[in-house]
Amino acid sequence: MALVKEIMGHPLISGRPSLVFSASHFKKKTQTTQFSIKPFDRRPKTSKSGVVSAISEDLVKTLRFSTTTGDRKSEEEEKAAVKFKVRAVVTVRNKNKEDFKETLFKHLDAFGDKIGRNIVLELISTELDPKTNLPKKSNAAVLQDWSEKSKTKAERVHYTAEFTVDAAFGTPGAITIMNKHQKEFFLECITIEGFALGPVHFPCNSWVQSQNDHPEKRIFFTNQPFLPSETPEGLRKPRGKELKNLRGDGTGVRRLSDRIYDFDVYNDLGNPDKSSELARPKLGGKERPYPRRCRTGRQPTDTDNEAESRVEKPLPMYVPRDEQFEETKQDTFAAGRLKAVLHHLVPSLKASILADDFSDFGEIDDLYKEGLLLKLGFQDEIFNKFPLPKGIVNTLQESSKGLLKYDTPKILSKDKNAWLRDDEFARQAIAGINPVNIERVKTFPPVSNLDPEIYGPQHSALTSDHIIGHLDGLSVQQALEENRLYMLDYHDIFLPFLDQINALDGRKAYATRTIFFLTRLGTLKPVAIELSLPSHGPNHRSKRVVTPPVDATSNWVWQLAKAHVSSNDAGVHQLVNHWLRTHACLEPFIIAAHRQLSAMHPIFKLLDPHMRYTLEINALARQSLISADGVIEGGFTAGQYGLEISSAAYKSSWRFDMEGLPADLIRRGMAVPDPTQPHGLKLLIEDYPYANDGLLIWSAIQTWVRTYVERYYPNSNSIQTDSELQSWYSESINVGHADLREAEWWPKLDTVDDLVSILTTLVWLASAQHAALNFGQYPYGGYVPNRPPLMRRLIPDESDPEYASFISDPEKFYFSSMPSLLQTSKFMAVVDTLSTHSPDEEYIGERQQPSTWTGDAEIVDAFYGFAAEIGRIEKEIEKRNSDPNRRNRCGAGVLPYELLVPSSEPGVTCRGVPNSVSI
């Protein structure tokens, strides 16, 4: 009977109390509010070393009979002698559309499957075989009915395989797969049925390559999380081998089917072989520090041995195979509602007409009513140039009569003239697409941190006289003491590059500072704008201050000054806050996670949904957005110097320890620490929509992360001795952010609190921070006068030759300063695509296989609690948007602030918080 008891063992997940909402354990660590999840009580983990039942009750009855009839073999021999069958249910996801080559291989594979070129699976136990000291394995099993189901049109097809194991097999911990077909397939999940412990789940979500391309077996682990020190003996070698495969050896050109994650510098943005004008400096290194990107191993250019050769559209850039967009995402990104076709149309259009300025605001409105091609009368001409059958051309013409016709941006939806108002200009600094640059004025006049030997006097041209009449009777000192003065300061980031920028054809910029005053109603109003140019001698007027208008002329000057501020703001938003701080700075952490954290590591499971698609979208950005002559260079004021500005910002101001929301708000002076407040801080602008809503999501993420981390790490020693965790964090810093690795501000990873803080920051950046900075790009920037991405003229004063033309026709001068028709349309096409949610988007509080992504039942329950809290936050945000006391998000013609509303429908919605940086 001892044998029977050992085989019966104990259930894999013992009967534990379910997680409950209680703050008692964490009351010293986490502030709770009516809007945030209360931390979960931590329960002791189930031992993962306990013996589990490997066989069914029927088999146990047989064994009982055997033991009572005098079988005196050793217990191990008894188990080995008893064989039984278990079944695998394998879910494969089909493509909706296949090209000719894929269809051909599909038919070949269906035939080959019949003659023995199969998909072969093998189960691996968590235990070692005492005779061989190797993991116990089942027999090899073939995936059944592949050829019969090859014509199935369903999105998901379920196949089966049957394994034979003996009673001593133990618990399945991994499964290997060999694909003997010609074609890769997407493996979604595997469930093993027949063990007494119940179904065993293997979440896979991976492309399995043909052995012709990758001869080694693929290995997948169960959903049971294991820290490295707790890894069962039978899984130790497979765990290490899989990580070694993902790391590669740092050599060779990567193939599209590879799954290798490695680091490299940004040396592939230029194309010096095509033209010397397309050469771009390397980003990454002492001269131009930058985060690292995913290595492709492509050959160097012929012209510059340090520059990597380009892969141009439509050829794909390398990212590890499982990082590539899935089919639905590919379709959404590629289609862009036919607007991406603009890139192919430009050579066919009459450049002289497309270079024209808008003559009035009505012409901009026509882009939403008529579309670009209809407006220019070129639609028939363009379609006739397409190498398509006439019938298809006719269909396209009929279905797209407004080709390049754009939806009306949301900024115009409630009040089409709102963007002209000063209060709306100011409101967007705290509730628009770039609410993360505004800072409290601590010293007036502001002082530059640039070297005065190079850039001239550090003092500002702003004086008390410029603003005193706009402070509601307060002195400047009183306004400072009452925290009523705020600023957008783009002086130091732009000034070092202005000589180069202003030498570009059709580009003119200032380094701007804008001072805002906080009114008694809690709204902001702009009171002065400083426009700076590089100093070229003592008699050169390099600084100019513009104040709110008092007559018609000063009104046009004021509107032009605001446009230059918005252009500065658009550039810093795109190059620094959006691209650098969310896209580029997260990539090293993602690469290192795949290289150093096993798929069975609990922290990898936590981070997994927050890494989806980021490497692919960053690769696409290197190919066409931030590359030489790409969209960013063509559409933004900084032109070819944009990425150098981004590098300078990384060197001078990016700090990982300040990237969390509370730390960032305090750094900018927008909040002060206050332990009596719900989130441990007090906002100095109470109605600051981005911060108000962001803190709700930050707190929910923090509580979920703490619940998760404390489930697996009972003390600091467990953090410090986790070899994979420490290797991940160390490589993220020392390799992924190598140029800043010596910085003293990097957080340590020694305690539970350290890990909670680091992970909360990463999840925040990938989800809510990116959403706040990305999905309003078209709703706010699609109407270019609201946020011109570039300016083409400086503002003339009375001594300038252009002043007479400005006075005679200020509207014409205004539009000649704005982007041209072509620049506007190209910019609109891009931000429309970047603001679009894909139908397969996963939003915060959601994840694939929500009940089986982990084998830890209590963590599954905790995640559902997190999802419920996200739902409550959404309702709270909706309530805030209807509160008339919140004037920065509710009022006549005022847009609600929805960029941090967690959920969204597909398309351009100006809301929705995806889990990851996926667009």
Side-chain angles (χ1 to χ4, degrees):
M1 291 304 291
L3 169 62
V4 176
K5 288 180 180 178
E6 182 178 340
I7 293 175
M8 285 300 294
H10 308 284
L12 184 63
I13 301 177
S14 60
R16 294 171 293 186
S18 61
L19 287 176
V20 294
F21 289 88
S22 169
S24 60
H25 186 73
F26 301 116
K27 60 186 177 183
K28 293 183 180 179
K29 297 180 182 178
T30 307
Q31 293 292 330
T32 62
T33 74
Q34 59 179 323
F35 303 126
S36 63
I37 279 184
K38 296 177 182 176
F40 299 106
D41 276 341
R42 188 174 172 277
R43 303 296 184 192
K45 286 184 294 175
T46 303
S47 169
K48 298 183 179 70
S49 59
V51 180
V52 294
S53 175
I55 57 178
S56 65
E57 293 291 340
D58 290 340
L59 185 56
V60 173
K61 292 177 183 176
T62 305
L63 287 169
R64 282 201 182 103
F65 176 77
S66 173
T67 57
T68 57
T69 53
D71 190 344
R72 293 292 181 265
K73 295 179 183 179
S74 73
E75 291 182 352
E76 196 64 35
E77 288 176 324
E78 284 180 347
K79 294 178 185 177
V82 178
K83 305 286 184 182
F84 65 100
K85 295 183 184 297
V86 294
R87 186 178 77 138
V89 178
V90 179
T91 301
V92 172
R93 192 188 306 164
N94 279 338
K95 280 189 171 183
N96 293 321
K97 293 177 281 190
E98 294 177 334
D99 59 28
F100 175 77
K101 184 179 178 181
E102 289 172 326
T103 303
L104 177 62
F105 277 136
K106 186 175 182 178
H107 289 306
L108 290 173
D109 287 340
F111 175 76
D113 199 79
K114 290 182 178 180
I115 59 173
R117 292 202 296 268
N118 311 110
I119 293 167
V120 183
L121 299 84
E122 196 172 35
L123 276 177
I124 298 177
S125 173
T126 57
E127 300 174 9
L128 295 176
D129 186 325
K131 294 180 181 177
T132 64
N133 206 36
L134 295 173
K136 297 176 182 178
K137 296 182 179 179
S138 71
N139 66 310
V142 171
L143 210 60
Q144 299 170 2
D145 301 328
W146 186 277
S147 58
E148 287 79 359
K149 294 181 178 180
S150 63
K151 295 182 180 179
T152 303
K153 300 297 184 185
E155 182 182 7
R156 289 173 175 81
V157 181
H158 304 289
Y159 300 93
T160 59
E162 200 170 72
F163 300 97
T164 300
V165 296
D166 60 48
F169 182 79
T171 307
I175 192 167
T176 63
I177 299 179
M178 174 61 77
N179 177 10
K180 297 182 179 181
H181 290 172
Q182 302 288 316
K183 183 179 169 227
E184 66 178 5
F185 66 91
F186 188 83
L187 178 60
E188 190 169 271
C189 61
I190 301 172
T191 302
I192 307 295
E193 300 170 340
F195 287 93
L197 58 88
V200 180
H201 299 285
F202 294 80
C204 305
N205 297 306
S206 180
W207 290 95
V208 180
Q209 301 299 319
S210 165
Q211 68 174 0
N212 298 336
D213 298 316
H214 295 272
E216 285 199 0
K217 295 177 181 178
R218 281 295 306 278
I219 186 164
F220 296 95
F221 300 101
T222 70
N223 62 353
Q224 191 64 41
F226 293 106
L227 294 174
S229 61
E230 297 175 339
T231 308
E233 288 298 322
L235 299 182
R236 288 187 179 274
K237 284 187 177 179
R239 182 174 186 149
K241 184 179 180 183
E242 173 69 354
L243 284 174
K244 184 179 178 181
N245 289 339
L246 291 169
R247 286 194 285 266
D249 61 6
T251 64
V253 179
R254 297 275 65 84
R255 298 174 297 169
L256 293 175
S257 59
D258 285 348
R259 298 170 54 245
I260 295 175
Y261 297 78
D262 204 353
F263 299 93
D264 208 343
V265 294
Y266 280 74
N267 62 348
D268 64 343
L269 302 180
N271 193 347
D273 287 349
K274 186 175 181 180
S275 167
S276 60
E277 293 183 356
L278 295 178
R280 294 294 180 268
K282 176 184 74 176
L283 300 182
K286 187 175 181 180
E287 187 175 353
R288 293 180 181 87
Y290 219 60
R292 299 303 186 257
R293 49 94 173 177
C294 186
R295 180 185 178 276
T296 68
R298 296 193 303 270
Q299 296 300 313
T301 62
D302 296 333
T303 310
D304 182 353
N305 198 49
E306 287 198 357
E308 189 172 270
S309 55
R310 294 277 300 164
V311 172
E312 303 292 358
K313 295 183 300 182
L315 296 176
M317 296 269 280
Y318 170 76
V319 292
R321 181 64 182 98
D322 291 339
E323 303 300 321
Q324 295 172 29
F325 287 166
E326 293 177 20
E327 193 173 13
T328 302
K329 181 73 171 181
Q330 283 178 339
D331 291 345
T332 302
F333 188 82
R337 296 164 58 207
L338 291 178
K339 290 169 189 170
V341 79
L342 178 64
H343 296 288
H344 304 288
L345 301 180
V346 170
S348 304
L349 299 177
K350 298 174 184 175
S352 60
I353 295 179
L354 280 176
D356 278 356
D357 302 330
F358 293 102
S359 60
D360 55 40
F361 291 105
E363 287 202 349
I364 300 177
D365 294 342
D366 287 345
L367 290 176
Y368 315 117
K369 296 174 184 176
E370 299 176 5
L372 177 66
L373 299 186
L374 282 176
K375 173 179 169 52
L376 298 175
F378 288 157
Q379 192 175 28
D380 292 340
E381 178 183 337
I382 294 305
F383 275 119
N384 289 335
K385 289 182 181 292
F386 279 138
L388 296 171
K390 187 169 181 60
I392 295 178
V393 170
N394 291 339
T395 302
L396 279 173
Q397 283 179 305
E398 189 61 33
S399 64
S400 58
K401 289 195 172 171
L403 181 64
L404 298 180
K405 178 180 175 182
Y406 300 90
D407 293 333
T408 301
K410 196 170 184 180
I411 184 63
L412 304 179
S413 63
K414 298 189 78 172
D415 181 352
K416 66 177 295 185
N417 296 314
W419 66 276
L420 280 165
R421 298 198 314 263
D422 286 358
D423 62 289
E424 177 61 21
F425 172 74
R427 189 191 72 84
Q428 289 185 34
I430 55 175
I433 189 56
N434 188 35
V436 298
N437 268 106
I438 190 166
E439 58 185 291
R440 179 164 52 88
V441 176
K442 299 170 186 174
T443 301
F444 189 89
V447 178
S448 169
N449 292 316
L450 296 175
D451 185 348
E453 294 294 322
I454 301 173
Y455 300 107
Q458 291 178 305
H459 65 269
S460 166
L462 288 159
T463 67
S464 297
D465 290 342
H466 288 121
I467 67 172
I468 191 67
H470 305 282
L471 304 185
D472 292 356
L474 299 179
S475 69
V476 172
Q477 187 59 36
Q478 286 173 315
L480 287 171
E481 291 172 356
E482 294 184 16
N483 301 319
R484 306 280 291 280
L485 291 181
Y486 295 84
M487 174 172 60
L488 288 176
D489 187 354
Y490 299 123
H491 179 276
D492 287 7
I493 194 167
F494 268 100
L495 194 69
F497 297 92
L498 282 186
D499 279 336
Q500 295 163 292
I501 292 170
N502 289 337
L504 296 173
D505 185 33
R507 303 293 169 91
K508 289 293 181 283
Y510 297 99
T512 68
R513 287 190 182 106
T514 307
I515 305 296
F516 299 94
F517 177 68
L518 180 64
T519 71
R520 299 289 181 192
L521 295 175
T523 58
L524 293 171
K525 66 177 182 180
V527 296
I529 295 172
E530 181 183 33
L531 306 170
S532 296
L533 294 170
S535 178
H536 296 296
N539 297 321
H540 180 255
R541 184 186 176 196
S542 61
K543 298 178 188 294
R544 174 180 182 180
V545 175
V546 180
T547 54
V550 294
D551 57 23
T553 301
S554 60
N555 180 66
W556 279 105
V557 171
W558 180 246
Q559 294 299 338
L560 284 166
K562 289 196 297 181
H564 274 282
V565 171
S566 295
S567 178
N568 273 189
D569 189 74
V572 172
H573 162 258
Q574 196 68 268
L575 296 163
V576 179
N577 299 330
H578 179 209
W579 164 253
L580 173 67
R581 292 174 62 186
T582 63
H583 285 259
C585 286
L586 280 178
E587 185 159 348
F589 291 95
I590 294 171
I591 296 171
H594 286 279
R595 289 168 52 85
Q596 303 297 342
L597 296 175
S598 166
M600 67 176 81
H601 196 292
I603 300 305
F604 185 90
K605 290 181 179 292
L606 174 72
L607 289 176
D608 188 35
H610 305 290
M611 303 189 290
R612 185 183 189 220
Y613 291 154
T614 303
L615 296 189
E616 171 81 338
I617 195 61
N618 286 3
L620 289 168
R622 299 201 319 273
Q623 186 175 45
S624 59
L625 291 180
I626 63 171
S627 56
D629 207 26
V631 172
I632 301 298
E633 286 195 5
F636 287 84
T637 292
Q640 68 193 63
Y641 305 107
L643 267 293
E644 294 185 54
I645 290 177
S646 185
S647 170
Y650 178 66
K651 179 181 181 179
S652 65
S653 61
W654 185 82
R655 290 180 50 161
F656 182 75
D657 64 328
M658 293 290 146
E659 287 297 283
L661 179 58
D664 178 57
L665 291 170
I666 292 170
R667 172 173 66 168
R668 291 188 282 120
M670 301 303 291
V672 291
D674 186 343
T676 68
Q677 295 294 313
H679 308 287
L681 55 79
K682 178 184 178 182
L683 291 173
L684 298 181
I685 299 179
E686 292 183 10
D687 183 15
Y688 183 0
Y690 158 77
N692 298 138
D693 298 354
L695 286 167
L696 296 183
I697 295 179
W698 170 272
S699 292
I701 293 171
Q702 184 181 54
T703 302
W704 155 238
V705 168
R706 181 172 293 282
T707 300
Y708 192 96
V709 166
E710 293 192 339
R711 173 77 175 145
Y712 299 101
Y713 296 98
N715 50 48
S716 296
N717 183 63
S718 60
I719 299 276
Q720 296 162 16
T721 58
D722 185 335
S723 57
E724 288 184 8
L725 183 72
Q726 293 295 333
S727 294
W728 162 69
Y729 190 56
S730 174
E731 187 172 71
S732 297
I733 296 171
N734 294 309
V735 182
H737 286 278
D739 303 329
L740 300 180
R741 65 180 177 271
E742 302 297 335
E744 296 180 355
W745 43 254
W746 281 105
K748 296 187 181 303
L749 181 51
D750 292 333
T751 68
V752 169
D753 284 347
D754 293 342
L755 182 56
V756 169
S757 175
I758 291 164
L759 294 175
T760 301
T761 298
L762 291 174
V763 174
W764 161 259
L765 290 172
S767 57
Q769 180 76 331
H770 178 259
L773 294 168
N774 183 74
F775 292 103
Q777 289 193 78
Y778 184 80
Y780 281 93
Y783 187 69
V784 166
N786 181 55
R787 284 178 63 77
L790 63 85
M791 295 294 285
R792 294 186 291 156
R793 285 188 172 188
L794 298 176
I795 305 172
D797 61 25
E798 295 180 10
S799 63
D800 292 325
E802 289 185 319
Y803 190 75
S805 61
F806 164 65
I807 291 294
S808 65
D809 195 340
E811 186 177 39
K812 182 178 180 181
F813 186 91
Y814 180 88
F815 283 112
S816 71
S817 301
M818 290 279 163
S820 70
L821 176 55
L822 173 59
Q823 291 168 329
T824 295
S825 190
K826 288 180 72 173
F827 177 76
M828 289 166 65
V830 171
V831 294
D832 179 77
T833 300
L834 296 181
S835 303
T836 299
H837 288 294
S838 171
D840 71 339
E841 200 89 86
E842 290 176 11
Y843 298 95
I844 191 165
E846 301 175 348
R847 60 181 300 160
Q848 294 181 16
Q849 292 125 13
S851 60
T852 59
W853 62 273
T854 177
D856 189 330
E858 290 190 9
I859 287 299
V860 170
D861 287 344
F863 183 75
Y864 282 126
F866 171 60
E869 176 62 12
I870 293 297
R872 286 190 286 272
I873 289 171
E874 181 158 326
K875 291 179 180 177
E876 171 62 19
I877 293 174
E878 291 171 357
K879 189 169 111 182
R880 291 175 174 183
N881 282 329
S882 300
D883 183 353
N885 293 317
R886 297 177 182 266
R887 289 178 170 83
N888 293 315
R889 63 198 303 163
C890 181
V894 176
L895 289 183
Y897 187 73
E898 297 181 313
L899 285 167
L900 289 175
V901 173
S903 71
S904 176
E905 297 296 320
V908 179
T909 63
C910 202
R911 59 179 283 163
V913 180
N915 276 322
S916 62
V917 178
S918 59
I919 189 67

